[in-house]
Amino acid sequence: AQKVTQAQTEISVVEKEDVTLDCVYETRDTTYYLFWYKQPPSGELVFLIRRNSFDEQNEISGRYSWNFQKSTSSFNFTITASQVVDSAVYFCALSELNTGNQFYFGTGTSLTVIP
Amino acid sequence: NAGVTQTPKFQVLKTGQSMTLQCAQDMNHEYMSWYRQDPGMGLRLIHYSVGAGITDQGEVPNGYNVSRSTTEDFPLRLLSAAPSQTSVYFCASRTDPTGGFWPLHFGNGTRLTVT
């Protein structure tokens, strides 16, 4: 079974619109970690944020915000006032303590911001 | 600080040929790993290592070999290339092999085509 599900394969928004990327995870561990990575058209993978299972506090960093909800096993990512530079593939990932902390990646969401 | 360096960036092989993808990191990370990225599949773990002399299989290890003789280097060998191994390969490292909270640092990838 897929441990990390990103149901949105592709999203297109017009510049300055807000957009939310969904991530749903599955784990039986009580200790786990969640991550978001960005892959711009140039191809490199850039780490954006991490969260541990004990910290449900939402986080805001500039135009980016993350909503972690254990009750729904979700770790969603919102970009406010999107810009063309936000166009990229975004990956959500899970690391579980009891599986040796291997990373499980979702299949990614391709975001296109139209100017 | 170079981080994680992968070579080559591009490679074309004929079916049956062998080659080694190189990966080196200068961050003194104990944990290193190889992923392949295919359209619609996200990133899948091939092999990983938690320290020099220690390697283990990931989700898709068949057709690949690894070794870890030093902390810095973690080469990936394709013994007899097949078209199914056409993919983008990423090497990644992490500071603590057991600490799942630490993010992976990725190289810039190697695009491999097998004809």
Side-chain angles (χ1 to χ4, degrees):
Chain A
Q2 191 76 10
K3 284 184 177 286
V4 178
T5 301
Q6 294 180 256
Q8 303 152 308
T9 305
E10 296 181 1
I11 301 176
S12 291
V13 298
V14 177
E15 199 171 22
K16 297 184 183 179
E17 286 184 344
D18 299 347
V19 58
T20 295
L21 309 183
D22 297 332
C23 174
V24 175
Y25 62 92
E26 180 181 334
T27 181
R28 294 182 179 181
D29 280 17
T30 55
T31 302
Y32 55 90
Y33 310 94
L34 296 163
F35 302 80
W36 276 95
Y37 282 84
K38 175 182 180 180
Q39 187 177 42
S42 51
E44 72 273 23
L45 284 150
V46 179
F47 163 66
L48 293 177
I49 193 171
R50 63 185 169 198
R51 260 290 176 269
N52 71 56
S53 52
F54 302 111
D55 183 2
E56 286 193 75
Q57 185 175 3
N58 294 327
E59 182 157 338
I60 298 174
S61 176
R63 297 184 296 107
Y64 296 170
S65 62
W66 291 269
N67 184 353
F68 174 34
Q69 290 194 327
K70 289 179 73 171
S71 61
T72 56
S73 297
S74 65
F75 186 42
N76 296 337
F77 173 31
T78 297
I79 302 174
T80 303
S82 59
Q83 299 177 1
V84 173
V85 293
D86 296 326
S87 296
V89 179
Y90 291 86
F91 291 96
C92 181
L94 166 71
S95 175
E96 298 169 314
L97 182 65
N98 285 339
T99 57
N101 291 310
Q102 300 312 311
F103 275 64
Y104 302 96
F105 284 85
T107 52
T109 297
S110 178
L111 173 66
T112 301
V113 181
I114 303 165
Chain B
N1 192 342
V4 180
T5 302
Q6 287 184 238
T7 55
K9 292 185 178 179
F10 302 95
Q11 183 71 50
V12 179
L13 291 177
K14 294 186 185 302
T15 298
Q17 287 184 319
S18 62
M19 79 157 297
T20 299
L21 307 185
Q22 301 291 345
C23 176
Q25 53 89 11
D26 60 0
M27 298 175 282
N28 202 32
H29 286 174
E30 291 292 329
Y31 180 94
M32 296 185 74
S33 55
W34 278 100
Y35 287 84
R36 60 178 288 173
Q37 182 180 16
D38 302 293
M41 304 287 287
L43 289 136
R44 293 182 292 169
L45 181 64
I46 305 172
H47 284 285
Y48 66 97
S49 169
V50 297
I54 306 169
T55 64
D56 207 344
Q57 296 180 353
E59 180 185 357
V60 288
N62 293 340
Y64 307 95
N65 238 356
V66 291
S67 60
R68 185 93 178 271
S69 56
T70 67
T71 299
E72 294 77 21
D73 300 299
F74 190 45
L76 178 72
R77 298 183 188 84
L78 281 71
L79 305 175
S80 178
S84 61
Q85 293 178 306
T86 293
S87 187
V88 180
Y89 292 84
F90 286 96
C91 180
S93 70
R94 193 174 76 211
T95 182
D96 180 348
T98 60
F101 187 67
W102 300 105
L104 291 170
H105 296 264
F106 285 89
N108 286 336
T110 296
R111 185 174 294 275
L112 175 68
T113 302
V114 183
T115 61

